[in-house]
Amino acid sequence: CDPVLALDGGESGMEIIERFITASKDHLNDGAWIALEVHHDQGDPVASMCQSSGFVEVSVRKDLANIGRFVFAKWQHSAPTS
């Protein structure tokens, strides 16, 4: 049985995803990828969230039912400024 935290996305349904995206940046190596399976109507909003958080090469891929459910995003640290 899954813990409630794993199934409850908060009031908006995306709070746990937002927390994950924000926290993951502190744990990813340069060039690392994240892959998320999301609810049938969350693909584009999650992709936008990834892009606004600094991820690159963000894409939404469809499942076998042709629904955009998989979000892929690459973490790329910003180039250091002089």
Side-chain angles (χ1 to χ4, degrees), residues 24-48:
S24 68
K25 298 183 294 182
D26 293 333
H27 303 281
L28 295 173
N29 291 325
D30 195 41
W33 287 84
I34 61 170
L36 301 165
E37 181 179 4
V38 297
H39 194 263
H40 70 87
D41 62 352
Q42 293 177 331
D44 289 334
V46 171
S48 294

Side-chain angles (χ1 to χ4, degrees), residues 9-16 18 42:
E11 191 172 321
S12 72
M14 297 205 352
E15 291 164 6
I16 193 72
E18 185 174 8
Q42 293 177 331

Side-chain angles (χ1 to χ4, degrees), residues 45-80:
V46 171
S48 294
M49 193 181 302
C50 288
Q51 289 172 327
S52 66
S53 294
F55 285 84
V56 298
E57 298 183 39
V58 179
S59 65
V60 179
R61 307 240 177 111
K62 295 180 179 179
D63 63 11
L64 295 176
N66 206 31
I67 298 168
R69 291 181 58 98
F70 305 101
V71 179
F72 295 86
K74 182 179 179 181
W75 177 242
Q76 191 72 48
H77 291 283
S78 299

